[in-house]
């Protein structure tokens, strides 16, 4: 892992000097032009306001409502369950509706929109995990239990707020009352991890400015054909793969480890050796263990348990839980991209929800399949980066009357 890290650091240094040399030759001065990254992360004050509102509702509102329901439902179970269920669904709908409206109202740029949307999805998942994990306590509580336990049962109907608050900041999406904890926090490691996140952001910036912008910035002003598409795809494969790996390292390694260290969170299994996967099934299980654990715990297992309760006929649909998991994951990914880019262009939805599902049925443990996996990952990231870049610059360069058809974009005068 350290060798791979050093290789990527060396590539970043070379890209930096390449950019400096190019600016000196073109303009006569080493102008790095960080305007793109400054624009992408603009309006951070609006982002903070939106985040505080989301976090307040997720932490305070959800906990107070759940605590009240847990301690009083035994008096009128049916009424409390119906009212609480309706209010919970309304809250989740509003939580999915209001943050996107906020970023549209403030017209947040791309990276700032990604922050709001990813945090919205994270808090939604944590809300679901908390309610789903603890609702069974209240439902199993009986009114006469206090008489046999001297009132001690009421203390476990709802966890302490400190447990819930810790869960909201801990780098996990699966709720537990207690997590393994380290004895101390190494703040030097925290600063090092956060510094690596910043370094990855500049890394991705250089990749886009050096390889993406020059290829696509005039797209929509010039004629388009199949050759242009092929050249664009293959020119995006190298930078697209680096963007994928940098994003993985920045989020799933550096960012999560920084918060784990700050929270003294001992379970650091955020990913496994997905790069050695010999099947797509193993790749999906090891690429992002944090999200995978949530999907397995609160979607896959619940559907399997529901199938068992329905009987033999439903159990035979053994691929249903997996297909539901893929559908939810692909829709959420496309939802984030659509609101961040301000257009719906379901390339990722088709590739992840279509080809990604199909590759799951390729059942093999042959080492050579790892080559196929890497080829498809590199090809897929190149296609994604190419098509989304084409769509982005077409909407910038084209007149208001705009026609967009997959694999062909035309400006209409």
């Amino acid at each position: 892992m350290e060798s791979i890290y050093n290789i990527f650091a060396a590539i970043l240094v070379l890209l930096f000097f390449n950019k400096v040399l190019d600016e000196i030759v073109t303009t006569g001065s080493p102008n790095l032009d960080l305007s793109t990254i400054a624009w992408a992360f603009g309006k951070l004050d609006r982002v903070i306001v939106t985040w505080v509102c989301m976090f307040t509702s997720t932490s305070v509102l959800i906990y107070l409502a759940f605590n009240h329901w847990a301690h009083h439902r035994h008096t009128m179970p049916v009424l409390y369950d119906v009212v609480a269920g309706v209010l919970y669904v309304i809250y989740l709908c509003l939580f999915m509706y209001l943050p996107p409206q906020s970023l549209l109202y403030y017209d947040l740029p791309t990276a700032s929109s990604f922050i709001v949307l990813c945090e919205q999805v994270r808090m939604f998942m944590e809300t679901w995990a908390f309610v789903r994990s603890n609702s069974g306590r209240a439902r199993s509580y009986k009114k006469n239990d206090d008489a046999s336990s001297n009132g001690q049962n009421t203390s476990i109907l709802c966890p302490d707020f400190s447990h819930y608050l810790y869960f909201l900041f801990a780098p996990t999406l699966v709720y537990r009352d207690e997590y393994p904890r380290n004895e101390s926090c190494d703040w030097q490691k925290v600063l090092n991890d956060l510094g690596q996140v910043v370094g990855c952001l500049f890394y991705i910036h250089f990749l886009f400015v050096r390889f993406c912008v020059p290829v696509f910035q005039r797209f929509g002003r010039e004629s388009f054909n199949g050759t242009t598409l092929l050249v664009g795809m293959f020119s995006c494969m190298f930078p697209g793969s680096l963007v994928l790996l940098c994003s993985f390292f920045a989020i799933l390694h550096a960012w999560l480890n920084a918060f784990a260290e700050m929270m003294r969170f001992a379970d650091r299994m955020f990913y496994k050796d997905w790069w050695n996967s010999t099947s797509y099934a193993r790749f999906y299980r090891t690429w992002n263990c944090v999200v995978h654990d949530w999907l397995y715990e609160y979607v896959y297992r619940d559907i399997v348990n529901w199938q068992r309760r329905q009987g033999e006929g439903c159990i035979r649909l053994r691929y249903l839980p997996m297909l539901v998991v893929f559908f939810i994951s692909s829709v959420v990914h496309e939802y984030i991209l659509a609101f961040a880019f301000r257009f719906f262009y379901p390339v990722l939805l088709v590739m992840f929800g279509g080809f990604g599902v199909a590759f799951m049925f390729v059942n093999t443990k042959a080492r050579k399949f790892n080559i196929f996996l890497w080829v498809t990952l590199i090809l897929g990231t190149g296609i994604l980066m190419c098509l989304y870049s084409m769509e982005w610059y077409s909407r910038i360069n084209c007149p208001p009357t705009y026609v967009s058809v997959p694999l062909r974009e035309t400006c209409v005068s």
Side-chain angles (χ1 to χ4, degrees):
M1 190 69 179
E2 184 177 354
S3 299
I4 298 176
Y5 175 83
N6 292 336
I7 291 172
F8 274 86
I11 295 175
L12 175 59
V13 172
L14 292 175
L15 285 174
F16 174 78
F17 282 110
N18 177 274
K19 177 64 177 175
V20 170
L21 182 61
D22 182 65
E23 288 294 332
I24 292 175
V25 171
T26 345
T27 64
S29 62
N31 179 23
L32 295 180
D33 188 18
L34 299 177
S35 58
T36 302
I37 196 171
W39 167 82
F41 285 92
K43 300 184 180 180
L44 284 179
D45 55 330
R46 303 291 192 275
V47 174
I48 294 173
V49 170
T50 305
W51 185 90
V52 168
C53 293
M54 291 193 299
F55 182 78
T56 303
S57 68
T58 302
S59 57
V60 179
L61 187 61
I62 285 294
Y63 183 82
L64 290 177
F66 183 86
N67 185 66
H68 178 81
W69 171 79
H71 285 91
H72 294 85
R73 74 170 295 275
H74 64 274
T75 58
M76 293 180 289
V78 176
L79 179 62
Y80 265 90
D81 288 351
V82 171
V83 173
V86 171
L87 292 177
Y88 182 52
V89 171
I90 292 174
Y91 169 82
L92 293 179
C93 292
L94 289 175
F95 194 80
M96 290 301 298
Y97 174 78
L98 293 177
Q101 292 302 310
S102 175
L103 67 89
L104 293 175
Y105 176 79
Y106 291 126
D107 193 23
L108 299 181
T110 308
S112 297
S113 297
F114 269 113
I115 294 173
V116 171
L117 293 167
C118 290
E119 283 294 280
Q120 177 202 22
V121 172
R122 179 184 71 86
M123 293 180 192
F124 182 97
M125 296 168 75
E126 290 181 330
T127 298
W128 186 276
F130 175 75
V131 174
R132 171 66 182 80
S133 298
N134 293 290
S135 57
R137 301 180 182 184
R139 289 200 306 269
S140 61
Y141 173 76
K142 303 300 181 183
K143 191 173 182 180
N144 296 329
D145 288 350
D146 283 340
S148 58
S149 60
N150 297 323
Q152 293 179 356
N153 278 346
T154 56
S155 62
I156 62 171
L157 289 177
C158 181
D160 292 338
F161 181 69
S162 59
H163 293 164
Y164 180 47
L165 191 62
Y166 180 86
F167 168 63
L168 292 178
F169 284 101
T172 180
L173 297 173
V174 177
Y175 178 82
R176 298 288 184 267
D177 286 339
E178 300 289 344
Y179 297 97
R181 304 278 295 274
N182 293 330
E183 294 182 358
S184 60
C185 170
D186 186 352
W187 288 102
Q188 183 61 41
K189 189 178 185 305
V190 173
L191 294 175
N192 182 55
D193 287 332
L194 294 178
Q196 291 176 347
V197 173
V198 175
C200 286
L201 292 177
F202 282 99
Y203 203 145
I204 295 172
H205 165 74
F206 282 129
L207 288 171
F208 272 100
V209 170
R210 181 68 182 84
F211 296 101
C212 179
V213 175
V215 176
F216 299 106
Q217 64 182 347
R218 294 189 58 80
F219 198 85
R221 300 176 183 174
E222 301 172 349
S223 60
F224 171 80
N225 51 46
T227 305
T228 308
L229 179 63
L230 279 176
V231 171
M233 284 183 180
F234 278 92
S235 65
C236 284
M237 287 183 187
F238 170 70
S241 303
L242 289 179
V243 168
L244 175 71
L245 294 174
C246 282
S247 302
F248 159 78
F249 183 84
I251 299 172
L252 290 173
H253 180 81
W255 183 261
L256 292 184
N257 270 291
F259 268 84
E261 192 65 35
M262 282 189 284
M263 305 300 295
R264 297 190 290 116
F265 188 79
D267 185 4
R268 310 291 173 92
M269 190 62 72
F270 307 130
Y271 58 89
K272 299 178 184 177
D273 59 335
W274 58 266
W275 47 87
N276 292 326
S277 298
T278 54
S279 67
Y280 260 91
R282 187 178 184 278
F283 168 74
Y284 288 130
R285 289 194 300 267
T286 55
W287 159 262
N288 185 346
C289 293
V290 179
V291 173
H292 171 269
D293 290 346
W294 187 92
L295 289 170
Y296 177 78
E297 183 78 14
Y298 302 114
V299 180
Y300 186 90
R301 286 181 58 182
D302 282 355
I303 296 176
V304 170
N305 292 333
W306 174 81
Q307 286 180 305
R308 289 172 179 169
R309 290 194 298 269
Q310 300 307 308
E312 275 302 316
C314 203
I315 293 178
R316 290 190 184 126
L317 302 174
R318 61 192 184 101
Y319 292 118
L320 176 64
M322 182 194 73
L323 294 176
V324 172
V325 166
F326 268 93
F327 174 77
I328 293 175
S329 184
S330 56
V331 167
V332 170
H333 279 80
E334 193 61 49
Y335 160 78
I336 293 174
L337 291 179
F339 276 95
F341 292 148
R342 305 295 197 273
F343 58 77
F344 176 66
Y345 200 49
V347 181
L348 181 62
L349 184 66
V350 172
M351 293 183 65
F352 186 32
F355 295 106
V357 174
F359 288 148
M360 280 286 294
F361 294 96
V362 181
N363 189 15
T364 176
K365 293 184 179 180
R367 298 297 301 176
K368 291 182 180 179
F369 189 85
N370 183 254
I371 300 175
F372 173 77
L373 184 142
W374 274 105
V375 169
T376 51
L377 282 179
I378 293 172
L379 179 63
T381 52
I383 293 174
L384 289 174
M385 188 172 181
C386 173
L387 294 182
Y388 280 108
S389 297
M390 286 181 174
E391 183 75 7
W392 175 270
Y393 281 102
S394 293
R395 290 176 178 267
I396 292 175
N397 295 327
C398 286
T401 306
Y402 180 80
V403 177
S404 176
V405 182
L407 302 186
R408 180 169 181 82
E409 286 143 355
T410 309
C411 290
V412 180
S413 56

Short mmCIF file of all heavy atoms in Angstrom, two decimals, residues 1-10 193 196 200 244-255 257 268 270-276 286-287 374:
data_model
loop_
_atom_site.label_atom_id
_atom_site.label_comp_id
_atom_site.label_asym_id
_atom_site.label_seq_id
_atom_site.Cartn_x
_atom_site.Cartn_y
_atom_site.Cartn_z
N MET A 1 0.83 -1.21 0.00
CA MET A 1 0.00 0.00 0.00
C MET A 1 0.86 1.25 0.00
O MET A 1 0.56 2.24 -0.68
CB MET A 1 -0.92 -0.01 1.23
CG MET A 1 -1.97 1.06 1.21
SD MET A 1 -3.22 0.77 -0.05
CE MET A 1 -4.30 2.16 0.19
N GLU A 2 1.95 1.23 0.75
CA GLU A 2 2.83 2.39 0.81
C GLU A 2 3.50 2.65 -0.54
O GLU A 2 3.67 3.81 -0.95
CB GLU A 2 3.89 2.18 1.89
CG GLU A 2 4.79 3.40 2.09
CD GLU A 2 5.79 3.20 3.21
OE1 GLU A 2 5.70 2.17 3.91
OE2 GLU A 2 6.66 4.07 3.38
N SER A 3 3.84 1.58 -1.26
CA SER A 3 4.45 1.73 -2.58
C SER A 3 3.48 2.36 -3.56
O SER A 3 3.85 3.25 -4.34
CB SER A 3 4.92 0.36 -3.10
OG SER A 3 5.89 -0.19 -2.25
N ILE A 4 2.20 1.91 -3.52
CA ILE A 4 1.18 2.51 -4.39
C ILE A 4 0.99 3.98 -4.06
O ILE A 4 0.86 4.83 -4.94
CB ILE A 4 -0.14 1.74 -4.25
CG1 ILE A 4 0.04 0.29 -4.69
CG2 ILE A 4 -1.25 2.40 -5.05
CD1 ILE A 4 -1.18 -0.58 -4.49
N TYR A 5 0.99 4.29 -2.76
CA TYR A 5 0.86 5.69 -2.33
C TYR A 5 2.01 6.53 -2.89
O TYR A 5 1.80 7.64 -3.39
CB TYR A 5 0.85 5.73 -0.81
CG TYR A 5 0.86 7.13 -0.23
CD1 TYR A 5 -0.31 7.85 -0.10
CD2 TYR A 5 2.05 7.72 0.20
CE1 TYR A 5 -0.30 9.13 0.43
CE2 TYR A 5 2.07 9.00 0.73
CZ TYR A 5 0.89 9.69 0.85
OH TYR A 5 0.90 10.96 1.37
N ASN A 6 3.24 6.01 -2.84
CA ASN A 6 4.40 6.74 -3.35
C ASN A 6 4.33 6.93 -4.86
O ASN A 6 4.73 7.98 -5.38
CB ASN A 6 5.68 5.98 -2.98
CG ASN A 6 5.94 5.99 -1.49
OD1 ASN A 6 5.47 6.87 -0.77
ND2 ASN A 6 6.67 4.99 -1.00
N ILE A 7 3.79 5.93 -5.57
CA ILE A 7 3.64 6.06 -7.02
C ILE A 7 2.68 7.20 -7.36
O ILE A 7 2.96 8.04 -8.23
CB ILE A 7 3.14 4.73 -7.62
CG1 ILE A 7 4.24 3.66 -7.53
CG2 ILE A 7 2.71 4.92 -9.07
CD1 ILE A 7 3.78 2.27 -7.92
N PHE A 8 1.55 7.26 -6.66
CA PHE A 8 0.58 8.32 -6.92
C PHE A 8 1.13 9.69 -6.52
O PHE A 8 0.85 10.68 -7.19
CB PHE A 8 -0.73 8.02 -6.18
CG PHE A 8 -1.65 7.13 -6.93
CD1 PHE A 8 -1.53 5.75 -6.85
CD2 PHE A 8 -2.64 7.65 -7.74
CE1 PHE A 8 -2.38 4.91 -7.54
CE2 PHE A 8 -3.50 6.82 -8.44
CZ PHE A 8 -3.36 5.45 -8.34
N ALA A 9 1.90 9.74 -5.46
CA ALA A 9 2.53 11.01 -5.07
C ALA A 9 3.51 11.47 -6.14
O ALA A 9 3.58 12.67 -6.47
CB ALA A 9 3.24 10.85 -3.73
N ALA A 10 4.26 10.52 -6.72
CA ALA A 10 5.20 10.87 -7.78
C ALA A 10 4.47 11.38 -9.02
O ALA A 10 4.90 12.35 -9.66
CB ALA A 10 6.05 9.65 -8.14
N ASP A 193 -3.96 12.77 7.69
CA ASP A 193 -5.04 12.25 6.85
C ASP A 193 -5.81 13.38 6.17
O ASP A 193 -6.14 13.29 4.97
CB ASP A 193 -6.00 11.40 7.68
CG ASP A 193 -5.40 10.05 8.06
OD1 ASP A 193 -4.55 9.56 7.29
OD2 ASP A 193 -5.76 9.51 9.11
N GLN A 196 -3.89 14.72 3.34
CA GLN A 196 -3.98 13.85 2.17
C GLN A 196 -5.27 14.07 1.40
O GLN A 196 -5.29 13.98 0.17
CB GLN A 196 -3.86 12.39 2.61
CG GLN A 196 -2.48 12.02 3.11
CD GLN A 196 -2.41 10.59 3.62
OE1 GLN A 196 -3.44 9.95 3.84
NE2 GLN A 196 -1.20 10.09 3.83
N CYS A 200 -5.43 15.18 -2.47
CA CYS A 200 -6.21 14.46 -3.49
C CYS A 200 -7.12 15.42 -4.25
O CYS A 200 -7.34 15.24 -5.47
CB CYS A 200 -7.04 13.36 -2.83
SG CYS A 200 -6.07 11.93 -2.31
N LEU A 244 -10.86 8.08 -10.16
CA LEU A 244 -11.53 7.04 -9.38
C LEU A 244 -10.68 6.62 -8.18
O LEU A 244 -11.17 6.54 -7.06
CB LEU A 244 -11.81 5.83 -10.28
CG LEU A 244 -12.39 4.59 -9.60
CD1 LEU A 244 -13.84 4.85 -9.18
CD2 LEU A 244 -12.32 3.37 -10.51
N LEU A 245 -9.39 6.37 -8.42
CA LEU A 245 -8.51 5.91 -7.35
C LEU A 245 -8.26 7.02 -6.32
O LEU A 245 -8.18 6.76 -5.12
CB LEU A 245 -7.19 5.42 -7.94
CG LEU A 245 -7.30 4.16 -8.81
CD1 LEU A 245 -5.96 3.84 -9.46
CD2 LEU A 245 -7.79 2.98 -8.00
N CYS A 246 -8.14 8.26 -6.80
CA CYS A 246 -7.95 9.38 -5.87
C CYS A 246 -9.18 9.59 -5.00
O CYS A 246 -9.07 9.86 -3.79
CB CYS A 246 -7.65 10.66 -6.65
SG CYS A 246 -5.97 10.76 -7.26
N SER A 247 -10.36 9.47 -5.61
CA SER A 247 -11.59 9.63 -4.84
C SER A 247 -11.71 8.53 -3.79
O SER A 247 -12.11 8.78 -2.64
CB SER A 247 -12.81 9.59 -5.78
OG SER A 247 -12.71 10.60 -6.75
N PHE A 248 -11.38 7.31 -4.19
CA PHE A 248 -11.39 6.19 -3.24
C PHE A 248 -10.44 6.47 -2.07
O PHE A 248 -10.81 6.31 -0.90
CB PHE A 248 -10.99 4.89 -3.95
CG PHE A 248 -10.50 3.82 -3.02
CD1 PHE A 248 -11.40 3.07 -2.28
CD2 PHE A 248 -9.15 3.57 -2.87
CE1 PHE A 248 -10.96 2.09 -1.41
CE2 PHE A 248 -8.69 2.59 -2.01
CZ PHE A 248 -9.61 1.85 -1.27
N PHE A 249 -9.22 6.87 -2.38
CA PHE A 249 -8.22 7.10 -1.33
C PHE A 249 -8.63 8.27 -0.43
O PHE A 249 -8.51 8.18 0.79
CB PHE A 249 -6.86 7.38 -1.96
CG PHE A 249 -5.76 7.56 -0.95
CD1 PHE A 249 -5.10 6.47 -0.41
CD2 PHE A 249 -5.39 8.83 -0.53
CE1 PHE A 249 -4.09 6.64 0.54
CE2 PHE A 249 -4.39 9.02 0.41
CZ PHE A 249 -3.73 7.91 0.94
N ALA A 250 -9.13 9.35 -1.03
CA ALA A 250 -9.47 10.54 -0.26
C ALA A 250 -10.63 10.28 0.71
O ALA A 250 -10.58 10.70 1.87
CB ALA A 250 -9.81 11.69 -1.19
N ILE A 251 -11.66 9.56 0.23
CA ILE A 251 -12.87 9.39 1.05
C ILE A 251 -12.77 8.16 1.94
O ILE A 251 -12.89 8.24 3.17
CB ILE A 251 -14.11 9.30 0.15
CG1 ILE A 251 -14.27 10.60 -0.65
CG2 ILE A 251 -15.37 9.03 0.98
CD1 ILE A 251 -15.35 10.55 -1.70
N LEU A 252 -12.54 7.00 1.31
CA LEU A 252 -12.62 5.74 2.05
C LEU A 252 -11.37 5.44 2.87
O LEU A 252 -11.40 4.57 3.74
CB LEU A 252 -12.89 4.58 1.09
CG LEU A 252 -14.30 4.59 0.47
CD1 LEU A 252 -14.42 3.51 -0.59
CD2 LEU A 252 -15.36 4.40 1.53
N HIS A 253 -10.28 6.12 2.60
CA HIS A 253 -9.07 5.91 3.39
C HIS A 253 -8.78 7.13 4.28
O HIS A 253 -8.90 7.06 5.50
CB HIS A 253 -7.88 5.60 2.50
CG HIS A 253 -6.61 5.37 3.26
ND1 HIS A 253 -6.33 4.17 3.86
CD2 HIS A 253 -5.56 6.19 3.56
CE1 HIS A 253 -5.16 4.24 4.49
NE2 HIS A 253 -4.69 5.47 4.32
N ALA A 254 -8.42 8.23 3.65
CA ALA A 254 -7.94 9.38 4.44
C ALA A 254 -9.06 10.01 5.27
O ALA A 254 -8.89 10.24 6.48
CB ALA A 254 -7.32 10.41 3.49
N TRP A 255 -10.19 10.34 4.65
CA TRP A 255 -11.27 11.04 5.36
C TRP A 255 -11.85 10.19 6.48
O TRP A 255 -12.02 10.67 7.62
CB TRP A 255 -12.36 11.45 4.37
CG TRP A 255 -13.47 12.24 4.98
CD1 TRP A 255 -14.70 11.78 5.37
CD2 TRP A 255 -13.47 13.64 5.28
NE1 TRP A 255 -15.46 12.80 5.88
CE2 TRP A 255 -14.73 13.96 5.83
CE3 TRP A 255 -12.53 14.67 5.13
CZ2 TRP A 255 -15.07 15.25 6.24
CZ3 TRP A 255 -12.87 15.95 5.54
CH2 TRP A 255 -14.12 16.23 6.08
N ASN A 257 -10.50 7.58 7.98
CA ASN A 257 -9.50 7.33 9.01
C ASN A 257 -9.29 8.55 9.90
O ASN A 257 -9.02 8.42 11.09
CB ASN A 257 -8.19 6.90 8.38
CG ASN A 257 -8.10 5.39 8.19
OD1 ASN A 257 -8.00 4.64 9.15
ND2 ASN A 257 -8.16 4.96 6.94
N ARG A 268 -11.49 -0.07 11.77
CA ARG A 268 -11.08 0.69 10.57
C ARG A 268 -11.26 -0.12 9.28
O ARG A 268 -10.60 0.16 8.29
CB ARG A 268 -9.61 1.10 10.70
CG ARG A 268 -9.25 1.78 12.02
CD ARG A 268 -9.86 3.15 12.15
NE ARG A 268 -9.66 3.73 13.46
CZ ARG A 268 -8.63 4.51 13.79
NH1 ARG A 268 -7.69 4.79 12.91
NH2 ARG A 268 -8.54 5.00 15.01
N PHE A 270 -12.80 -0.10 6.49
CA PHE A 270 -13.61 0.68 5.56
C PHE A 270 -13.60 0.08 4.16
O PHE A 270 -14.48 0.37 3.35
CB PHE A 270 -13.10 2.12 5.51
CG PHE A 270 -13.00 2.76 6.85
CD1 PHE A 270 -11.84 3.41 7.26
CD2 PHE A 270 -14.06 2.72 7.73
CE1 PHE A 270 -11.74 4.00 8.51
CE2 PHE A 270 -13.99 3.31 8.98
CZ PHE A 270 -12.83 3.95 9.37
N TYR A 271 -12.61 -0.70 3.86
CA TYR A 271 -12.50 -1.39 2.57
C TYR A 271 -11.56 -2.56 2.77
O TYR A 271 -10.82 -2.65 3.75
CB TYR A 271 -11.97 -0.45 1.49
CG TYR A 271 -10.62 0.15 1.82
CD1 TYR A 271 -9.44 -0.49 1.46
CD2 TYR A 271 -10.51 1.36 2.50
CE1 TYR A 271 -8.19 0.05 1.78
CE2 TYR A 271 -9.28 1.91 2.82
CZ TYR A 271 -8.13 1.26 2.45
OH TYR A 271 -6.91 1.78 2.77
N LYS A 272 -11.59 -3.48 1.81
CA LYS A 272 -10.66 -4.60 1.82
C LYS A 272 -9.85 -4.56 0.53
O LYS A 272 -9.90 -3.56 -0.20
CB LYS A 272 -11.43 -5.92 1.98
CG LYS A 272 -12.23 -6.01 3.28
CD LYS A 272 -13.01 -7.31 3.37
CE LYS A 272 -13.86 -7.34 4.64
NZ LYS A 272 -14.69 -8.57 4.71
N ASP A 273 -9.14 -5.61 0.24
CA ASP A 273 -8.27 -5.61 -0.95
C ASP A 273 -9.08 -5.85 -2.22
O ASP A 273 -8.92 -6.86 -2.90
CB ASP A 273 -7.16 -6.64 -0.79
CG ASP A 273 -7.70 -8.05 -0.61
OD1 ASP A 273 -8.86 -8.18 -0.13
OD2 ASP A 273 -7.00 -9.01 -0.95
N TRP A 274 -9.96 -4.88 -2.55
CA TRP A 274 -10.81 -5.01 -3.74
C TRP A 274 -10.00 -5.08 -5.02
O TRP A 274 -10.46 -5.64 -6.04
CB TRP A 274 -11.79 -3.83 -3.80
CG TRP A 274 -11.12 -2.48 -3.82
CD1 TRP A 274 -10.86 -1.69 -2.76
CD2 TRP A 274 -10.63 -1.77 -4.97
NE1 TRP A 274 -10.23 -0.54 -3.15
CE2 TRP A 274 -10.09 -0.56 -4.51
CE3 TRP A 274 -10.61 -2.04 -6.34
CZ2 TRP A 274 -9.52 0.38 -5.37
CZ3 TRP A 274 -10.04 -1.11 -7.20
CH2 TRP A 274 -9.51 0.08 -6.72
N TRP A 275 -8.80 -4.52 -5.02
CA TRP A 275 -7.97 -4.51 -6.23
C TRP A 275 -7.49 -5.91 -6.61
O TRP A 275 -7.02 -6.12 -7.72
CB TRP A 275 -6.78 -3.58 -6.03
CG TRP A 275 -6.07 -3.79 -4.72
CD1 TRP A 275 -5.08 -4.67 -4.46
CD2 TRP A 275 -6.34 -3.10 -3.49
NE1 TRP A 275 -4.69 -4.58 -3.14
CE2 TRP A 275 -5.44 -3.63 -2.51
CE3 TRP A 275 -7.22 -2.10 -3.11
CZ2 TRP A 275 -5.42 -3.18 -1.20
CZ3 TRP A 275 -7.20 -1.66 -1.79
CH2 TRP A 275 -6.31 -2.20 -0.85
N ASN A 276 -7.59 -6.86 -5.69
CA ASN A 276 -7.23 -8.25 -5.98
C ASN A 276 -8.44 -9.12 -6.31
O ASN A 276 -8.30 -10.34 -6.43
CB ASN A 276 -6.49 -8.86 -4.79
CG ASN A 276 -5.13 -8.23 -4.57
OD1 ASN A 276 -4.45 -7.84 -5.52
ND2 ASN A 276 -4.72 -8.11 -3.32
N THR A 286 -16.12 -5.58 -1.23
CA THR A 286 -14.88 -5.09 -0.60
C THR A 286 -14.54 -3.65 -0.97
O THR A 286 -13.68 -3.05 -0.33
CB THR A 286 -13.70 -6.00 -0.99
OG1 THR A 286 -13.61 -6.09 -2.42
CG2 THR A 286 -13.90 -7.40 -0.43
N TRP A 287 -15.16 -3.09 -2.00
CA TRP A 287 -14.82 -1.74 -2.46
C TRP A 287 -15.18 -0.70 -1.40
O TRP A 287 -14.39 0.19 -1.08
CB TRP A 287 -15.55 -1.45 -3.77
CG TRP A 287 -15.72 -0.02 -4.12
CD1 TRP A 287 -16.82 0.75 -3.92
CD2 TRP A 287 -14.75 0.84 -4.75
NE1 TRP A 287 -16.61 2.03 -4.38
CE2 TRP A 287 -15.34 2.11 -4.89
CE3 TRP A 287 -13.44 0.67 -5.19
CZ2 TRP A 287 -14.66 3.18 -5.46
CZ3 TRP A 287 -12.78 1.74 -5.76
CH2 TRP A 287 -13.38 2.97 -5.89
N TRP A 374 -10.17 -5.03 -14.05
CA TRP A 374 -9.47 -3.76 -14.19
C TRP A 374 -9.71 -3.13 -15.55
O TRP A 374 -9.85 -1.90 -15.67
CB TRP A 374 -7.97 -3.96 -13.96
CG TRP A 374 -7.61 -3.88 -12.52
CD1 TRP A 374 -7.30 -4.92 -11.68
CD2 TRP A 374 -7.54 -2.69 -11.71
NE1 TRP A 374 -7.04 -4.46 -10.42
CE2 TRP A 374 -7.18 -3.10 -10.40
CE3 TRP A 374 -7.76 -1.34 -11.96
CZ2 TRP A 374 -7.03 -2.19 -9.36
CZ3 TRP A 374 -7.61 -0.44 -10.92
CH2 TRP A 374 -7.25 -0.85 -9.65
#
